Amino acid sequence: MWYNEGLQIGGLPQMEVKGMEQRNNVALSSLSGVGPVRSGKLAKLGLERLSDVLWHFPLRYEDRRKVYTVREAPEGQMCCVKAMVAQLPQLSRVRSGIELVKVRCVDDTGVLNLTFFHQSYLRHTFSPGDQYVFYGKVERQGRGISMVNPLFEKEGEEKYTGRIVPVYPLTAGVHNALLMNLAQLAVEQLAPTVEEVLPLWVREEYHLCQQEFALQNIHFPQSFEGLEWARRRLIFEELLTLTCGLAMLKGRRQHFDGLRLAPHSPEEFQSLLPFIPTDAQRRAMEDIFHDVTSGQSMNRLVQGDVGSGKTAVAAYGAWVTALSGMQCALMAPTELLAEQHYRTLSTLLGPSGIRVELLTGSVKGAGRKKLLQALASGDVQVLVGTHALFSQGVEYHRLGLVIADEQHRFGVAQRGALAAKGGEIPPHVLVMSATPIPRTLALMIYGDMEVSIIDQLPPGRTPVSTYVVGEDKRQRMYGFVRTQVGQGRQVYLVCPAVEENGGEDEEGQTSLFPAMDLKAVTTYAKHLQEQVFPDLKVGFVHGKMKSKDKEAIMSAFAAGEIQVLVSTTVIEVGVDVPNATLMIVENADRFGLSQLHQLRGRVGRGKHESYCVLVTASRSETARQRLRVLTQTTDGFQIAQEDLRLRGPGDFFGQRQHGLPQLKVADFASDLEVLNQARQAAQALVDGDPDLTQAQHLPLRRRVEHMFRDNPDIFH
Ligand code: ADP
Ligand code: MG
């Protein structure tokens, strides 16, 4: 939709600009072209002051540099045409009261007929003989051309034509033209005053343009090359700010006093385990042992593929904390997983006299009260639960360690908030994750943490045999389900997420797929139960169910009461049902490889041989090729790398929260190279000047402070 209204906003007032502070503080509402209504709408975009506009970058650009003659104007495309008004505009009314203004224009090569709807006042705007540049969609009309509701500018006053035009993120009532006007003002007034945050050596070493040039060209690029320079510099700057902040967080923690726990080693713990830990598990435990006895605060990520045995490592952490007379809180993302951990930890630690309890939203009334009392008095040493663990009214006696399991949403900010639940000295923090993200990204997302990687599966696991099959194999596949169930095993059958209109899926990830049938899971389960497996017990579960119902189904499956479980990806994370040996994924081409790998990790957890069947109706060779990666490797990191390569930028993380400050220009996946450079530079900067207090680093420090403003403790 096209507004020529933009042109009537008129120029903004010339402002008196005195000191820099005053410039930065110009409120948009104080500009005469804006007014209270518009400024309210601008505020919705986070724009309250002129400096906000300077940092509100275009989403994309339109190349309107070429101005065509009538004859050359390309049909069906948006473009600029210069022509002279040839006659007085004609106003007419057509049926249903629609008013339209017709303007006939000409140039040396032909006729341009314009039609404007609902803008009868325009009949007074155009006078014969005036030259204009019109921007609109060109339709051929006999020997001439026509445009409907084009944007127009008088020759010599072009602002929106004859150049590369920025297109800004908009909201109702805020037109692009308004933002362009404001941006122009912001660039003129403020860009020259913005502090250069990049030290000279950084700009030289990484070939980065100057701040002022970058700000000018990101809004009003002279050329696409200039835009590229600007973008690269701003991305670098943003990633440098982020990585400096993370490096500072990490550095600070190393200076922190941490709770020093009694030195009970992993060897001592080993006798409690029903198995011999793998070397990788042992290494992770050694890392933890070192951290918690070092006198510094631990902030460690344990990353290990599904099934690599992270629970035992977490259990060691809980154990060593309890032996020092302190408490451990283990947080899981769902009640089901919390219950699972509760059972495991009670079995492991109970015999040593450690009291393990479970706290979820379902624990209510007197039971809850008693539990909270026991927690506050220190009688409970290990508390397992959901995020309820950190809700109001939950008081710990001496919280020594917080463990977060499989928790994507446990970001920097939450980690900071935890400190508040501890005493004087913040608790140690351990995060367990199976999300196999490439190492650079892991370092980024968990940039303030130390990382232990469990790159080994417990012995005796046979890799899950994986197959990619087409629709023609469906009956055989159902036959295979029967065989497995006949042998006493259980089956997962996963469909793409239940969703409406391609909205968000269950993880809040914007869907990449076209709208799916909302009833996919329920109707499919019904079909299977009635038509295909009338003699088997089929259950279903999806993310839109009440969590109580969901948990009931999952428990029934865990108890073996359901043989075939139809589900969405709600079972993706952490569920441990060793008797399940077959995973079937419908429409597998609609999932990312990493996600499929995670799903596959739900089987192959017991002693029975396990299988994963990826069903696809896609005939595209690339789609099948992609899926075949899973038949060739079980290495989660390799799969993640491949996923990133094949799916390209953006999709890898989707909207999934990672808890880092919001980025404006950079994108983790697509700007990997710049990310590596920025990390390198940040490390060098922070190594030489840990608090960035040297004069030439102060602007950067201020920028870091601004980005991490929700993490105020970063600098204390
Ligand atoms: P994840 O890393 O996915 O959380 P779990 O901790 O749930 O993995 O472990 C998966 C399964 O492997 C569990 O049943 C666990 O008892 C078993 N397991 C873990 N470590 C070992 C080991 N060293 N030897 C044998 N079995 C193990
Ligand atoms: Mg786990």
Side-chain angles (χ1 to χ4, degrees):
M1 181 64 206
W2 222 196
Y3 302 97
N4 45 39
E5 183 199 347
L7 291 179
Q8 287 125 46
I9 290 169
L12 290 158
Q14 282 302 309
M15 289 180 305
E16 284 261 333
V17 179
K18 292 199 184 94
M20 187 181 118
E21 259 170 62
Q22 189 186 342
R23 293 185 204 181
N24 278 321
N25 281 332
V26 169
L28 298 179
S29 55
S30 73
L31 298 172
S32 72
V34 179
V37 175
R38 280 218 173 92
S39 65
K41 287 177 174 158
L42 287 163
K44 281 202 189 132
L45 290 169
L47 306 177
E48 293 180 3
R49 289 181 293 165
L50 198 56
S51 57
D52 299 331
V53 177
L54 189 64
W55 297 96
H56 183 69
F57 299 145
L59 271 182
R60 57 188 179 84
Y61 302 83
E62 281 176 11
D63 189 356
R64 298 186 198 161
R65 281 175 300 181
K66 184 152 174 61
V67 179
Y68 290 89
T69 61
V70 167
R71 188 189 295 146
E72 286 169 341
E75 178 166 13
Q77 285 182 32
M78 302 290 296
C79 71
C80 298
V81 174
K82 183 145 95 179
M84 185 183 78
V85 178
Q87 291 172 3
L88 275 174
Q90 305 278 310
L91 175 69
S92 49
R93 282 198 185 79
V94 290
R95 49 194 163 78
S96 57
I98 297 173
E99 290 188 328
L100 45 88
V101 174
K102 289 193 176 250
V103 187
R104 184 178 148 88
C105 304
V106 294
D107 72 0
D108 293 345
T109 68
V111 176
L112 166 61
N113 284 308
L114 307 175
T115 309
F116 294 94
F117 287 98
H118 297 300
Q119 294 160 89
S120 47
Y121 55 87
L122 287 179
R123 68 180 181 277
H124 305 301
T125 305
F126 298 104
S127 316
D130 286 352
Q131 290 276 1
Y132 280 90
V133 178
F134 299 97
Y135 179 75
K137 191 172 171 189
V138 171
E139 301 296 344
R140 283 276 150 205
Q141 198 181 52
R143 301 228 312 280
I145 58 173
S146 66
M147 288 183 179
V148 175
N149 287 352
L151 180 114
F152 55 90
E153 293 183 296
K154 237 183 171 155
E155 185 185 28
E157 294 172 9
E158 293 98 330
K159 197 164 172 187
Y160 305 96
T161 58
R163 71 196 293 181
I164 299 171
V165 172
V167 181
Y168 290 93
L170 302 172
T171 185
V174 176
H175 305 320
N176 200 45
L178 173 64
L179 281 173
M180 271 180 73
N181 273 330
L182 292 172
Q184 190 162 13
L185 191 66
V187 168
E188 275 166 18
Q189 307 279 345
L190 302 181
T193 73
V194 172
E195 293 183 308
E196 175 57 80
V197 296
L198 300 181
L200 187 61
W201 74 264
V202 173
R203 264 196 289 140
E204 283 176 355
E205 175 134 0
Y206 297 98
H207 306 287
L208 300 164
C209 69
Q210 284 185 3
Q211 181 94 65
E212 188 180 348
F213 177 90
L215 288 170
Q216 269 164 2
N217 278 269
I218 199 79
H219 288 284
F220 302 105
Q222 298 294 321
S223 66
F224 284 101
E225 294 78 66
L227 176 61
E228 239 354 87
W229 280 103
R231 266 183 50 80
R232 205 176 87 81
R233 145 123 209 172
L234 291 166
I235 289 168
F236 188 100
E237 178 180 330
E238 185 165 52
L239 292 173
L240 181 79
T241 308
L242 179 67
T243 42
C244 276
L246 293 172
M248 288 165 83
L249 273 175
K250 191 171 181 169
R252 260 179 28 68
R253 212 162 264 115
Q254 280 158 2
H255 303 134
F256 253 161
D257 281 344
L259 298 164
R260 193 187 293 273
L261 303 187
H264 293 281
S265 69
E267 284 77 56
E268 204 183 318
F269 172 70
Q270 205 168 308
S271 61
L272 302 181
L273 290 173
F275 44 70
I276 299 168
T278 61
D279 288 345
Q281 281 171 314
R282 216 194 313 259
R283 275 197 302 275
M285 291 186 216
E286 290 289 347
D287 289 343
I288 294 170
F289 174 71
H290 173 263
D291 290 349
V292 297
T293 54
S294 70
Q296 288 170 0
S297 209
M298 174 170 72
N299 192 26
R300 181 168 292 279
L301 167 70
V302 174
Q303 195 177 39
D305 222 334
V306 277
S308 61
K310 293 184 290 296
T311 315
V313 174
Y316 168 69
W319 176 80
V320 77
T321 308
L323 290 196
S324 287
M326 286 183 230
Q327 293 169 303
C328 168
L330 191 159
M331 175 166 65
T334 65
E335 295 206 358
L336 188 82
L337 279 177
E339 279 163 26
Q340 189 177 293
H341 281 316
Y342 167 67
R343 281 193 298 270
T344 311
L345 292 188
S346 314
T347 315
L348 278 180
L349 307 180
S352 322
I354 295 175
R355 183 165 163 199
V356 183
E357 292 288 349
L358 177 70
L359 179 67
T360 62
S362 320
V363 180
K364 292 193 178 106
R368 187 180 182 94
K369 208 169 153 201
K370 241 170 99 188
L371 174 56
L372 293 183
Q373 270 163 8
L375 186 69
S377 68
D379 289 348
V380 172
Q381 279 109 16
V382 179
L383 187 64
V384 182
T386 51
H387 52 268
L389 292 182
F390 298 101
S391 52
Q392 281 239 311
V394 182
E395 298 296 336
Y396 294 83
H397 179 63
R398 273 182 89 191
L399 186 57
L401 171 66
V402 175
I403 306 177
D405 185 43
E406 307 285 10
Q407 184 57 282
H408 309 293
R409 292 182 168 85
F410 196 64
V412 178
Q414 288 91 325
R415 294 203 286 274
L418 279 181
K421 283 277 178 188
E424 290 278 277
I425 305 180
H428 296 293
V429 173
L430 191 60
V431 176
M432 325 292 287
S433 171
T435 311
I437 48 182
R439 192 171 168 80
T440 14
L441 294 178
L443 285 173
M444 193 60 211
I445 292 179
Y446 301 105
D448 63 325
M449 309 187 88
E450 310 291 336
V451 182
S452 302
I453 292 182
I454 308 188
D455 51 4
Q456 195 180 8
L457 291 181
R461 295 267 173 85
T462 39
V464 178
S465 315
T466 303
Y467 306 92
V468 177
V469 306
E471 279 301 321
D472 52 320
K473 300 277 178 8
R474 181 164 293 280
Q475 292 314 316
R476 262 179 78 181
M477 182 189 84
Y478 287 151
F480 192 51
V481 171
R482 231 167 239 297
T483 318
Q484 288 296 305
V485 174
Q487 291 169 6
R489 306 285 84 78
Q490 289 162 281
V491 179
Y492 291 108
L493 209 155
V494 175
C495 307
V498 169
E499 56 186 319
E500 279 168 297
N501 308 327
E504 283 194 332
D505 77 8
E506 331 205 337
E507 303 220 1
Q509 214 165 347
T510 305
S511 173
L512 312 167
F513 330 128
M516 297 289 303
D517 182 1
L518 175 65
K519 298 189 213 76
V521 169
T522 38
T523 45
Y524 187 38
K526 195 156 169 269
H527 165 78
L528 286 176
Q529 178 73 85
E530 287 167 7
Q531 316 284 325
V532 189
F533 303 121
D535 51 329
L536 306 184
K537 277 163 269 164
V538 179
F540 67 88
V541 60
H542 60 71
K544 301 264 149 67
M545 283 163 72
K546 286 211 188 76
S547 69
K548 245 176 107 185
D549 300 342
K550 202 156 62 186
E551 314 260 323
I553 299 280
M554 290 306 300
S555 308
F557 187 67
E561 291 153 19
I562 290 172
Q563 290 156 326
V564 178
L565 182 66
V566 183
S567 80
T568 55
T569 54
V570 283
I571 54 139
E572 185 179 348
V573 165
V575 177
D576 194 22
V577 182
N579 193 45
T581 52
L582 173 58
M583 157 76 56
I584 293 169
V585 184
E586 298 279 357
N587 294 108
D589 46 289
R590 293 170 190 251
F591 293 90
L593 293 182
S594 290
Q595 200 180 12
L596 288 170
H597 178 62
Q598 295 253 5
L599 282 169
R600 174 168 69 175
R602 300 303 113 226
V603 297
R605 301 174 80 88
K607 50 188 183 297
H608 307 286
E609 171 139 33
S610 296
Y611 309 87
C612 174
V613 180
L614 306 174
V615 187
T616 172
S618 167
R619 291 207 183 80
S620 133
E621 193 41 39
T622 19
R624 290 191 173 214
Q625 205 60 49
R626 192 172 73 90
L627 292 177
R628 271 186 218 118
V629 170
L630 288 166
T631 66
Q632 287 151 8
T633 179
T634 51
D635 178 340
F637 290 95
Q638 202 182 325
I639 290 168
Q641 201 76 54
E642 199 57 17
D643 207 10
L644 192 61
R645 192 177 70 76
L646 290 170
R647 290 211 289 170
D651 294 350
F652 190 77
F653 283 115
Q655 298 297 313
R656 189 175 282 182
Q657 291 259 325
H658 38 58
L660 288 176
Q662 190 81 39
L663 298 182
K664 279 174 189 287
V665 270
D667 175 304
F668 288 127
S670 53
D671 299 321
L672 256 189
E673 200 183 319
V674 186
L675 174 59
N676 281 328
Q677 294 175 345
R679 259 172 49 76
Q680 210 177 44
Q683 203 54 57
L685 283 166
V686 174
D687 281 349
D689 182 10
D691 294 318
L692 298 179
T693 41
Q694 290 170 18
Q696 77 267 30
H697 297 149
L698 285 178
L700 179 58
R701 184 188 151 104
R702 281 192 280 272
R703 189 64 66 77
V704 175
E705 274 171 352
H706 182 71
M707 184 182 273
F708 284 80
R709 54 197 179 281
D710 297 332
N711 266 77
D713 67 324
I714 182 169
F715 291 107
H716 305 155

